[in-house]
Amino acid sequence: MLSKLNQVQRDAVTYLDGPLLVLAGAGSGKTRVITHKIAYLIEQCGYEPRNIAAITFTNKAANEMRERVGDLLKNTHTKGNAKGLIISTFHSLGMNILRAEAKLLGYKPQFSIFDSSDTWKIFSELTNSGDKQEIRDLQTQISNWKSAFVSPEQAAEAAENDEAKVHARIYARYQETLRAYQAVDFDDLIHLPVVLFKQHPEALLRWQLKLRYLLVDEYQDTNDCQYQMIKLMADMRGALTVVGDDDQSIYAWRGASIANLHNLRDDYPKLKVIKLEQNYRSSQRILKVANHLINHNTKVFEKKLWSDHGIGDPIRIYAARDDEHEAESVVMKLMAHKFEHRTRFADYAILYRSNHLSRAFEEQLRAQRVPYTVSGGTSFFDRAEIKDITAYLRLIANLDDDPAFIRAITTPKRGIGNTTLEKLGSYAGSRQISLFEAAFEPHVQHELQPRQHEELMLFCNFINRIQDRADKDPCGELLDELLRAINYETWLYDSHESRQAESKWKNVEDFIGWLKRKAEADEKSLIAMVQTIALINMLEGKDQEPDAVSLSTLHAAKGLEFPHVFIIGAEEEILPFRDSDEKQIEEERRLMYVGITRAERSLQISYCNRRKRGKDWMACEPSRFIEEMPEGELVYAGGHADAVPVVSKDEGMDKLARLKAMLNKPVAG
């Protein structure tokens, strides 16, 4: 099992004498180490799969890990039996802990989990504001308070100005509202298990005995909350392996703390540190540039990536006249390179610091008919109007789905506001029943005004009627009836300006049309179709990567790799981001380092000499990070002062002859 690992990877897998920190450089095989260690614990060390937990940050990473562990165990006498093994995200593990221990915290086990659009709705009602930025700031502030274990009372005490006082008051009201709905938000999935473990030692002991070995991926991305959760569960036994890279810590803005890597030494004096420095991804030249750049940061752990993938192409630095010229030249180079090297579109990535920079590139790619995907864009199924309709369908399929109930009963508005919902929520909480069930209880009728109660009954009886037919009647018929009954189209035009309403209604029609076609083709009822919607990733073909150029922010590209990478907009005020202080400059430098280490074979970094801001042209300065790269590995092109012709005349003629020969060559297949 260990024969395919290098010596350092083997050391990391077999070390079991105490807590271990694996400092894993970009492309150094960290997932391989974690998956082999899980298999080693089960195969060689007698651990039961159910006593091991591997924790990561994304579902994608968890799924990949699960698959790889299954493959490793397939050829052993356990015959792939990893039954009970926990490989999950932090949030997923937190949810399982809360479901098991809900009663101790006064929740029902089937509490609801609110996503950001559910919480957005609560915030906009609590603030009585339509200002999106204000609500976004508030969400971030409260999220940071929860991660740092600041209660609403502490936030109010620490408030130094009126704005902070208002935020603390809204925080308190927000928590009360969640409680009344028997709901938790995303942050609570980490925050509440820590509260639980601190207040109920017997629950902590249960989980320490259950999870006897912990492995944590991307440890540099943990926030204070996640750090405490791990520390409590690992206890002083130190049956713990954490894998991380301080050079790839790029999430301080969402509470991640690079200090968590360094704190391990204080928490575990016997901590063993193993460095993975051999990179299996990039050419030597790319790594030399990355190492040279990141050495400008203050370091606690020294490490230097190396590879035996050959020297590789020089790194091209390209100066464009302006943003339009930058997009044009990058797309032309990409297409010429693809044609010459017979590569796939999926071999290329265009990476940038901020989302707004993608626009010019999208226009160019569309104009040249080049397929592309934008990571971090809004998925069709995440659009508000689609989630509105889905809420009705979720509720019809499962009357206990409280978030769906709240979204459906308030969209379109039907005279049922916060006060009604809070009374309903608080009664449902006390009786440990769903909001829908609570609506039919005699007690609720006495609590509500006659008009509110009438509206509530009208809605619930309508849902019941549709549900009774959802398994029998044709799906298309029911969907049309549902849309007519809730009068969604009229509501869209009443509450949005007409162009926006038109585009939203078109999305709803597309969605309903797709549901009808699919239901007919698969002969599925409305109830069965709702379960299909739950497998939305498969609908979007995410299991089959399209052959398309990837456009992505540097943050979203972390963990990915591409043979050929273009980093664009490498200018002061963009990368590094404007107004960055010394600490933030180090994080911006790590972001550039992450971008560089995505590239396997070729890398071009470009910037503009001027860029349009509104109606004015602004002169741009190349990013200081370009100066921090080793001069000898770079080739300058475009309007840069040091630009040299990239190819001589003879080389150009040779290249042209090769291209002509390729054009005349018959295509296989």
Side-chain angles (χ1 to χ4, degrees):
M1 188 195 289
L2 304 181
S3 61
K4 289 185 180 156
L5 304 178
N6 66 36
Q7 187 53 54
V8 187
Q9 289 172 333
R10 259 202 302 277
D11 293 344
V13 166
T14 54
Y15 183 80
L16 289 172
D17 292 341
L20 169 68
L21 165 61
V22 180
L23 273 178
S28 62
K30 69 182 177 67
T31 308
R32 185 184 292 185
V33 165
I34 294 173
T35 50
H36 277 76
K37 186 148 197 170
I38 294 169
Y40 179 75
L41 289 166
I42 295 168
E43 271 296 290
Q44 308 293 322
C45 310
Y47 275 84
E48 288 292 329
R50 66 171 183 276
N51 295 141
I52 300 170
I55 309 164
T56 184
F57 276 83
T58 64
N59 287 320
K60 188 180 170 194
N63 293 339
E64 186 191 340
M65 237 177 246
R66 208 171 287 118
E67 220 167 275
R68 283 164 72 166
V69 170
D71 289 346
L72 284 173
L73 293 175
K74 213 175 277 173
N75 310 318
T76 65
H77 68 262
T78 52
K79 291 286 177 287
N81 181 17
K83 201 173 182 327
L85 173 68
I86 294 173
I87 298 182
S88 78
T89 62
F90 272 98
H91 292 92
S92 206
L93 177 63
M95 182 192 74
N96 290 333
I97 293 169
L98 289 180
R99 289 216 190 282
E101 311 287 351
K103 281 205 175 94
L104 289 175
L105 289 173
Y107 284 89
K108 56 180 183 180
Q110 67 276 28
F111 59 82
S112 300
I113 298 164
F114 279 9
D115 65 14
S116 59
S117 62
D118 294 318
T119 61
W120 180 279
K121 212 159 202 159
I122 298 174
F123 280 123
S124 59
E125 281 170 1
L126 289 175
T127 53
N128 206 4
S129 159
D131 184 336
K132 288 185 177 177
Q133 193 52 50
E134 187 188 336
I135 295 173
R136 218 172 280 132
D137 292 345
L138 194 58
Q139 274 182 314
T140 306
Q141 173 65 79
I142 288 174
S143 174
N144 290 341
W145 272 332
K146 285 192 183 187
S147 299
F149 289 95
V150 176
S151 68
E153 296 74 33
Q154 288 166 326
E157 273 171 40
E160 288 176 357
N161 55 38
D162 288 347
E163 188 186 23
K165 281 177 191 159
V166 171
H167 282 189
R169 260 203 309 280
I170 292 170
Y171 180 18
R173 296 274 291 117
Y174 172 66
Q175 288 304 97
E176 286 162 19
T177 308
L178 284 181
R179 268 277 182 201
Y181 293 160
Q182 280 287 297
V184 300
D185 65 17
F186 209 53
D187 296 306
D188 287 331
L189 294 174
I190 313 290
H191 174 83
L192 287 174
V194 176
V195 171
L196 170 88
F197 289 155
K198 287 182 170 176
Q199 289 177 358
H200 300 277
E202 73 282 12
L204 175 60
L205 185 61
R206 255 197 302 280
W207 285 89
Q208 286 173 341
L209 292 172
K210 180 178 165 59
L211 304 180
R212 292 173 177 273
Y213 203 98
L214 294 177
L215 302 102
V216 187
D217 189 16
E218 303 284 14
Y219 198 72
Q220 77 283 347
D221 293 341
T222 53
N223 60 27
D224 293 345
C225 231
Q226 288 154 333
Y227 183 74
Q228 292 203 42
M229 185 177 174
I230 295 300
K231 191 177 162 188
L232 284 162
M233 287 197 298
D235 193 27
M236 287 320 287
R237 288 172 309 180
L240 173 71
T241 292
V242 306
V243 181
D245 181 5
D246 47 345
D247 292 335
Q248 293 188 74
S249 176
I250 56 172
Y251 293 115
W253 50 278
R254 66 175 191 209
S257 172
I258 195 170
N260 289 347
L261 275 175
H262 311 150
N263 292 342
L264 280 168
R265 280 186 164 160
D266 302 331
D267 290 339
Y268 301 102
K270 291 182 179 166
L271 181 75
K272 167 98 168 161
V273 179
I274 292 178
K275 298 176 190 177
L276 302 184
E277 295 172 298
Q278 181 174 1
N279 171 289
Y280 291 93
R281 176 187 299 159
S282 308
S283 70
Q284 292 170 23
R285 199 167 246 146
I286 287 168
L287 295 180
K288 188 173 178 185
V289 167
N291 286 330
H292 206 280
L293 172 74
I294 206 66
N295 278 340
H296 287 78
N297 273 6
T298 46
K299 298 272 208 168
V300 173
F301 301 104
E302 286 296 333
K303 74 175 176 318
K304 195 171 187 181
L305 294 181
W306 61 276
S307 123
D308 47 21
H309 275 355
I311 191 77
D313 300 343
I315 309 316
R316 287 169 54 86
I317 307 292
Y318 185 80
R321 276 192 316 276
D322 52 44
D323 30 1
E324 206 171 295
H325 175 225
E326 182 183 35
E328 203 175 289
S329 71
V330 163
V331 171
M332 287 306 166
K333 282 194 186 72
L334 188 154
M335 288 169 72
H337 189 280
K338 180 186 183 297
F339 177 72
E340 188 182 350
H341 297 274
R342 297 282 169 99
T343 49
R344 297 166 66 241
F345 284 119
D347 292 338
Y348 298 86
I350 299 171
L351 309 180
Y352 35 83
R353 174 65 177 84
S354 301
N355 269 312
H356 72 271
L357 295 170
S358 76
R359 203 168 303 126
F361 291 84
E362 288 192 61
E363 282 167 16
Q364 277 298 325
L365 291 164
R366 275 202 299 270
Q368 302 300 333
R369 293 193 164 76
V370 173
Y372 67 90
T373 59
V374 182
S375 78
T378 307
S379 142
F380 179 75
F381 295 92
D382 273 342
R383 294 171 195 272
E385 59 275 22
I386 304 303
K387 290 183 94 164
D388 287 343
I389 304 304
T390 309
Y392 281 89
L393 303 180
R394 274 167 46 189
L395 185 59
I396 290 160
N398 170 20
L399 299 175
D400 286 336
D401 189 335
D402 286 359
F405 177 89
I406 290 164
R407 187 164 193 136
I409 203 166
T410 54
T411 318
K413 292 232 181 293
R414 45 171 64 79
I416 291 171
N418 243 14
T419 316
T420 307
L421 286 172
E422 274 182 40
K423 284 179 179 168
L424 192 61
S426 137
Y427 180 74
S430 69
R431 295 266 289 107
Q432 304 270 295
I433 55 178
S434 72
L435 295 169
F436 192 91
E437 197 181 329
F440 289 93
E441 301 256 314
H443 176 82
V444 169
Q445 184 174 353
H446 305 311
E447 281 284 300
L448 300 179
Q449 299 291 334
R451 178 146 180 277
Q452 268 79 29
H453 187 257
E454 193 183 319
E455 290 284 358
L456 184 63
M457 286 297 96
L458 217 58
F459 172 78
C460 293
N461 288 327
F462 164 68
I463 296 292
N464 269 335
R465 277 199 306 280
I466 298 259
Q467 194 195 42
D468 287 343
R469 298 162 51 203
D471 258 339
K472 307 183 282 284
D473 290 13
C475 181
E477 203 179 287
L478 283 171
L479 287 167
D480 288 337
E481 198 176 312
L482 175 71
L483 283 184
R484 268 198 313 276
I486 67 173
N487 219 354
Y488 192 75
E489 185 182 8
T490 309
W491 176 77
L492 276 179
Y493 279 92
D494 286 347
S495 46
H496 299 84
E497 56 102 4
S498 64
R499 265 216 349 247
Q500 200 183 9
E502 197 177 320
S503 124
K504 284 175 176 286
W505 180 243
K506 168 87 172 66
N507 288 336
V508 170
E509 287 185 314
D510 288 350
F511 177 53
I512 296 294
W514 172 82
L515 276 173
K516 286 178 180 175
R517 287 192 303 278
K518 188 107 177 103
E520 206 172 317
D522 301 350
E523 296 182 351
K524 281 187 170 172
S525 69
L526 184 63
I527 295 283
M529 278 310 297
V530 177
Q531 285 149 356
T532 307
I533 297 168
L535 302 170
I536 226 74
N537 284 352
M538 294 174 79
L539 299 177
E540 298 198 88
K542 288 211 175 116
D543 49 344
Q544 194 183 354
E545 292 294 326
D547 182 23
V549 174
S550 286
L551 262 62
S552 171
T553 60
L554 289 160
H555 283 101
K558 185 162 168 280
L560 304 177
E561 53 191 46
F562 304 91
H564 311 287
V565 169
F566 295 86
I567 297 175
I568 58 121
E571 295 147 35
E572 288 292 308
E573 305 233 319
I574 291 179
L575 180 65
F577 202 61
R578 63 176 173 277
D579 303 330
S580 296
D581 59 27
E582 208 170 311
K583 199 172 167 194
Q584 288 161 331
I585 289 287
E586 295 217 337
E587 173 135 344
E588 294 289 303
R589 191 176 284 113
R590 291 195 289 270
L591 198 52
M592 176 66 109
Y593 173 85
V594 163
I596 293 169
T597 53
R598 298 313 92 201
E600 294 169 4
R601 292 203 283 284
S602 79
L603 172 67
Q604 174 179 298
I605 298 169
S606 61
Y607 64 90
C608 297
N609 286 318
R610 62 179 195 158
R611 195 176 278 279
K612 210 161 197 174
R613 302 256 166 88
K615 288 182 180 173
D616 303 321
W617 286 102
M618 311 289 282
C620 303
E621 219 181 300
S623 168
R624 68 190 76 184
F625 300 147
I626 294 172
E627 277 176 36
E628 294 172 357
M629 295 173 192
E631 192 71 27
E633 308 303 331
L634 310 178
V635 169
Y636 291 97
H640 190 280
D642 302 329
V644 290
V646 180
V647 288
S648 70
K649 192 174 176 186
D650 289 348
E651 286 173 320
M653 295 303 283
D654 285 350
K655 194 168 186 177
L656 194 60
R658 280 203 310 277
L659 286 173
K660 280 181 177 167
M662 284 170 74
L663 277 171
N664 297 327
K665 195 175 163 192
V667 179

